[in-house]
Amino acid sequence: YFSIFGFSKIAGGSDEALRFFSAFWATAAVVLFVAATGSAFSLPGRLFAAALATGSNFWFYQAQNARFYALGFFIATAILVISMALLRPRQRREPPASRRVALLFGLMLFGSFMHFYLMYLSLAVLIVIGLLEPRLRLVMAALALVLVSLAFLYLKVVIGTYAQFRVENSWMGESPDWYIYQLNAARQLMFNKWALLAIAVCAGAWLLRIVLGRDASVAEPSQPPAGESTLLVLGPWHGRLDPAAALVIGVPLIMLAGGIVSSILISPNFQDRNFLVCAPFLWGATAKLYDVGVQALAPRLRLLANFALALAVL
């Protein structure tokens, strides 16, 4: 709200100006996702995810609503991009890991004080990075401790002192029916029936690869390497989860668990809009599903699947 207040002093407080603030950040989030996640997802996968993102009721509504969700999309996308950079070998001309960690934590702090579920998202990201990168485990644990401590102080010193809202009198529920209802509402906001059909096509293509066998359905060698088109990379002695898949799947699941547990133990706070601040990670999940399913098919099968996806998306 401080950000949009400052923007209104420059652009004015008209309906168009306030909506433009959200429209800009919502669009920038999708552009950033497509432009900066090429190391983890194919271009068709990123474009497929962007099509589902901009076709969702949640993105479309928040892209013209003068609140913090659109800016939250951009912050969450930037967190996703930097996290994936930390989980892959450092490329030439990339900043050192310490600089990327500092930038990541700065984004997490900014996001956490903008929407408290972005703090949940940040903690989930720190957990996933800590599990996958032993060399960063202590750093991630320290950052998580600092983040939680600052958020707690903010709630006690600022919110608890000056806000009229009291978390103990929240209108949100905490029964199993409430969580089921909110999850279904989040699904409807994020994926309508046509989006679900498109996702089903990608999942069906993945299953088809498994049923037919790799030789019969896999794409030609010019396609992305196996490490970029699988959910599980099998090593000589053990299975290794693809870091990008771990992020885009693990973070929403940890957020879901954290939101429900904190609602039960502390105060009701789980709601469809709160949970969907992780929408950019769900975009990544659809891109990954496309890559392991449709993108990895042989050319003729891939053409047929893409035709079905185009109809569903349009």
Side-chain angles (χ1 to χ4, degrees):
Y1 290 126
F2 279 109
S3 300
I4 197 170
F5 173 78
F7 177 79
S8 69
K9 292 301 180 182
I10 300 172
S14 67
D15 185 65
E16 291 81 4
L18 295 182
R19 291 180 188 273
F20 175 79
F21 182 85
S22 291
F24 174 83
W25 289 113
T27 305
V30 177
V31 172
L32 179 64
F33 176 84
V34 174
T37 59
S39 63
F41 315 117
S42 68
L43 178 58
R46 284 174 278 152
L47 295 176
F48 171 66
L52 293 186
T54 55
S56 69
N57 288 333
F58 188 62
W59 183 91
F60 184 77
Y61 180 75
Q62 300 302 340
Q64 52 185 312
N65 185 15
R67 295 188 72 190
F68 37 62
Y69 288 98
L71 181 55
F73 292 157
F74 185 83
I75 298 299
T77 304
I79 289 174
L80 171 63
V81 170
I82 299 174
S83 300
M84 290 193 302
L86 285 172
L87 290 174
R88 69 170 185 261
R90 183 186 172 193
Q91 307 294 319
R92 300 180 72 179
R93 297 184 179 179
E94 280 190 340
S98 58
R99 197 175 303 173
R100 282 181 282 179
V101 169
L103 179 58
L104 177 66
F105 188 62
L107 287 168
M108 288 178 170
L109 274 179
F110 184 84
S112 296
F113 288 100
M114 183 176 64
H115 192 297
F116 71 102
Y117 258 68
L118 279 173
M119 184 191 70
Y120 288 12
L121 181 145
S122 300
L123 291 175
V125 168
L126 294 174
I127 290 172
V128 172
I129 294 177
L131 290 175
L132 296 180
E133 282 291 341
R135 62 187 176 88
L136 295 174
R137 195 163 292 164
L138 288 178
V139 176
M140 297 298 108
L143 294 181
L145 180 61
V146 172
L147 191 64
V148 171
S149 300
L150 290 176
F152 176 79
L153 289 174
Y154 177 70
L155 287 173
K156 288 295 183 182
V157 176
V158 180
I159 299 299
T161 303
Y162 298 105
Q164 296 182 13
F165 176 78
R166 291 293 179 265
V167 294
E168 60 268 17
N169 297 325
S170 174
W171 56 269
M172 300 181 195
E174 53 182 331
S175 66
D177 289 342
W178 172 265
Y179 300 129
I180 294 173
Y181 175 83
Q182 292 300 324
L183 280 174
N184 186 50
R187 194 276 305 164
Q188 292 177 356
L189 286 172
M190 194 68 192
F191 303 116
N192 61 23
K193 62 180 181 181
W194 296 107
L196 290 178
L197 176 61
I199 290 172
V201 170
C202 295
W206 186 26
L207 293 175
L208 183 65
R209 288 183 57 205
I210 296 174
V211 172
L212 295 182
R214 186 173 179 83
D215 293 338
S217 62
V218 75
E220 62 272 18
S222 61
Q223 295 302 311
E228 296 182 1
S229 60
T230 55
L231 290 177
L232 188 68
V233 181
L234 297 178
W237 305 105
H238 61 280
R240 178 175 62 85
L241 190 65
D242 177 16
L247 271 173
V248 298
I249 296 173
V251 167
L253 289 178
I254 295 173
M255 280 186 65
L256 175 62
I260 294 177
V261 170
S262 65
S263 293
I264 295 172
L265 298 181
I266 303 174
S267 177
N269 61 75
F270 187 81
Q271 185 196 17
D272 52 3
R273 292 197 305 269
N274 289 344
F275 173 69
L276 286 181
V277 298
C278 72
F281 285 77
L282 298 176
W283 304 345
T286 57
K288 175 58 68 174
L289 183 59
Y290 177 93
D291 285 347
V292 301
V294 175
Q295 183 69 3
L297 290 174
R300 292 183 180 179
L301 291 175
R302 187 168 67 248
L303 180 63
L304 181 63
N306 278 331
F307 179 73
L309 291 180
L311 289 178
V313 168
L314 289 174

